[in-house]
Amino acid sequence: MSALGSLAVILSGSLCLGLLFALFRFLHNIWWTPVRVQRLMRSQGIEGPSFRLITGNAKEIRKMRKEAMSRPMTDISHKILSRIQPHVDSWTKKYGTSFLFWLGPQAQLIVSEPEMIKEILNDKDKNYPKTDVQDYVKKLIGGGLVTSEGEKWFKMRKLANFAFNGENLKKMIPAMVASVEMMLARWKKHCGNEIDVYDEFRILTSDVISRTAFGSSYLEGKDIFDMLGKLAMLAVKNFFKIRLPGIRYSSYNLQFPA
């Protein structure tokens, strides 16, 4: 066999090995790891809906949310979990206050027991590190308290505590009152008509932030707030896209109805 033929055989063999390794890694991440995690969690008493290949429980969640949003809100009360997160409400009743479900191959652990939440957040926080956020989320919210850990988080939390201590918050009250008075003045113009409360409180929140943090107002920074709102919507849509190992964006788009 010529040297060229030997080289071709070596290259072909290397390519086959590379493809086999990639396939093994793909199956390991997309199937074996979720199945193993589910088995381990169940052995510790954490139940939940069964993992389904590729989509996890995404289709079930989408179906439940669609059904919940299609029903009219005849009973106005604070019990809205069954409407905004029907999968959490349904699975809590079925599996208990702690359960596991899946968005694609990613496990999602729901914990709603106060003592366990306290343990996670306060007593043993180092045992429960934050998950890595997607790049688009980092670009939207930056490297703040939500995404930081360790020494960086400690320093930022210390600064935040100083900014939001009681005395500093008292100084913000006049600005907050002014924002509320502006909102109430707008409401008087709609006397007898319906008001979009969600939009009004969104504007109120933006105005309070503008006045207390930047010495401005919502109207002066309206374009910026609108752009931030659009970025947030894009981030939410991307969050519900199932990502497969080795594939940046999959074709299965889990966009929940608003």
Side-chain angles (χ1 to χ4, degrees), residues 124 136 257:
K124 299 179 180 178
Y136 65 86

Side-chain angles (χ1 to χ4, degrees), residues 73-180:
M73 293 184 65
T74 54
D75 179 26
I76 305 299
S77 70
H78 293 294
K79 297 179 180 180
I80 60 172
L81 184 63
S82 60
R83 182 175 180 85
I84 61 174
Q85 289 191 314
H87 58 293
V88 175
D89 182 63
S90 175
W91 290 334
T92 298
K93 293 175 181 176
K94 185 174 182 180
Y95 301 112
T97 53
S98 299
F99 63 89
L100 194 74
F101 73 96
W102 301 86
L103 287 179
Q106 293 184 333
Q108 311 290 319
L109 178 63
I110 296 293
V111 177
S112 54
E113 294 180 18
E115 288 302 316
M116 191 174 292
I117 293 172
K118 179 182 177 182
E119 178 181 339
I120 293 171
L121 296 179
N122 295 328
D123 301 337
K124 299 179 180 178
D125 56 295
K126 292 183 180 179
N127 293 338
Y128 304 95
K130 296 177 182 177
T131 57
D132 293 332
V133 297
Q134 300 293 334
D135 289 339
Y136 65 86
V137 177
K138 289 182 180 178
K139 291 177 181 178
L140 178 63
I141 63 177
L145 282 170
V146 176
T147 57
S148 300
E149 283 196 288
E151 187 66 23
K152 182 180 179 181
W153 178 89
F154 179 77
K155 290 180 179 178
M156 297 183 74
R157 180 60 186 267
K158 192 174 181 180
L159 289 172
N161 286 342
F162 175 77
F164 291 98
N165 65 37
E167 291 302 317
N168 285 334
L169 288 175
K170 288 178 183 178
K171 297 175 184 178
M172 300 178 187
I173 291 176
M176 296 178 183
V177 171
S179 296
V180 173

Side-chain angles (χ1 to χ4, degrees), residues 201-218:
F201 275 89
R202 179 185 62 81
I203 294 173
L204 173 64
T205 304
S206 301
D207 196 56
V208 169
I209 293 172
S210 298
R211 290 173 183 272
T212 56
F214 306 109
S216 180
S217 69
Y218 168 74

Side-chain angles (χ1 to χ4, degrees), residues 25 33 46 125 131:
R25 186 175 180 182
T33 297
I46 304 296
D125 56 295
T131 57

